[in-house]
Amino acid sequence: MITLVTGGAGYIGSHMVRALLRAGRRVVVLDNLSTGHRRALPPDAAFVEADVRDTAAVTALLQEHDVDAVLHFAGLIEVGASVRDPIGYWSTNFGGTLSLLGAMEASGVKRIVFSSTCAVYGEPGVVPIVESCPRRPISPYGRSKLACEHALADVAAADPAFCAVALRYFNVAGAAADGSVGEDHQPETHLIPRVLNAARDGGGITIFGTDFPTPDGTCVRDYVHVEDLCAAHLAALDRLTPGLAAFNLGIGRGFSVREVIDTARAVTGRAIEASAGPRRAGDPPRLFADPTRARELLGWSPRAVELEPIIASAWRWTRQVSS
Ligand code: UFG
């Protein structure tokens, strides 16, 4: 039996492909290479270049490769870009998921792990965030992912054998311990790679807002190591049961933007220049997970629970790729 990884040439997907292969599973990747990289794929994973919205291509892949489970990473991930391009986000994220579900139905594949996001919660009234917290996304990105969760729940309600898990990621960061893959977005918008690019290339970093109601005035986020995140997917895959279950994947602690920059200075030994800028639209002040459910039901505990190992692994990766 083979696991399909959609978006397997992307940042998280490419780490996941390696984790699956290490766990002794066979893998086929579907990716349209719009943001992913062919070089991020290991030779022992089969690869089909196609768009997840191409239902016929996905159906053919599922049948030819005898797929029994799907990890669905393919999607667009930037909150700001989703505000500027809502149709693109709805088409890729929601349209892509519907297409995949149609192909799965046509092929009799009934097991899926879906990449969701803490953006489905919007601006939560309380932190840490538990899965039962109201889901009121504030961006097209968050709404497109929440719509996918609803679609999965409806499909599971209609088919008693359909097994789905939605994993709601907090801020995923870091790189593979063996240096084979890491974060490589073009353009890069995420804090940790931007800070490390500034450490490598100079140019400094702008802090988006220093007047938030947080201890040092900068936004607080829950950073989870990409390899820990992959371990949670393996656990979810092993424990899929009928219905839709949702889990928060974060370490359960928040770190401020200033703490990220200070840790990056300590890890890199470089003086990274930081300047205060205006707030970025739509940034909630504090987001961090209550990951109790994932611990209790998936047996998942992240190994990296401090910023230092996450940033250190990302720095090893950043130094080896050219600017
Ligand atoms: N930040 C800066 N300067 C930068 C880049 C980011 O100060 O140059 C700040 C942001 O304003 C934010 C924090 O660093 O306060 C983290 O920003 P990221 O862009 O790294 O991550 P986000 O929290 O915005 O986004 C993440 C995921 C999204 C997900 C979102 C949910 O990347 O996929 O969390 O809120 F939807």
Side-chain angles (χ1 to χ4, degrees), residues 29-49:
V29 169
L30 175 100
D31 201 300
N32 66 2
L33 299 182
S34 60
T35 57
H37 307 282
R38 184 75 182 83
R39 63 180 178 275
L41 292 170
D44 32 2
F47 174 55
V48 173
E49 185 175 344

Side-chain angles (χ1 to χ4, degrees), residues 140-260:
Y141 167 67
R143 283 189 283 274
S144 69
K145 287 286 186 173
L146 178 58
C148 296
E149 290 196 10
H150 288 316
L152 288 166
D154 287 346
V155 174
D159 179 353
F162 188 81
C163 305
V165 160
L167 299 177
R168 297 179 185 149
Y169 309 162
F170 283 66
N171 289 57
V172 188
D178 65 4
S180 56
V181 273
E183 199 162 0
D184 194 359
H185 297 122
Q186 294 295 337
E188 187 54 74
T189 61
H190 295 100
L191 178 65
I192 289 179
R194 281 183 113 165
V195 169
L196 295 177
N197 288 346
R200 184 191 58 197
D201 307 332
I205 182 90
T206 302
I207 301 174
F208 297 147
T210 52
D211 59 349
F212 286 96
T214 59
D216 68 15
T218 67
C219 283
V220 168
R221 294 288 182 274
D222 183 333
Y223 296 92
V224 56
H225 197 290
V226 64
E227 293 202 314
D228 284 327
L229 194 89
C230 292
H233 287 68
L234 286 179
L237 206 49
D238 284 342
R239 290 168 178 75
L240 277 169
T241 51
L244 170 66
F247 297 94
N248 287 337
L249 295 183
I251 66 169
R253 282 175 69 189
F255 295 94
S256 73
V257 174
R258 284 197 196 282
E259 286 175 307
V260 168

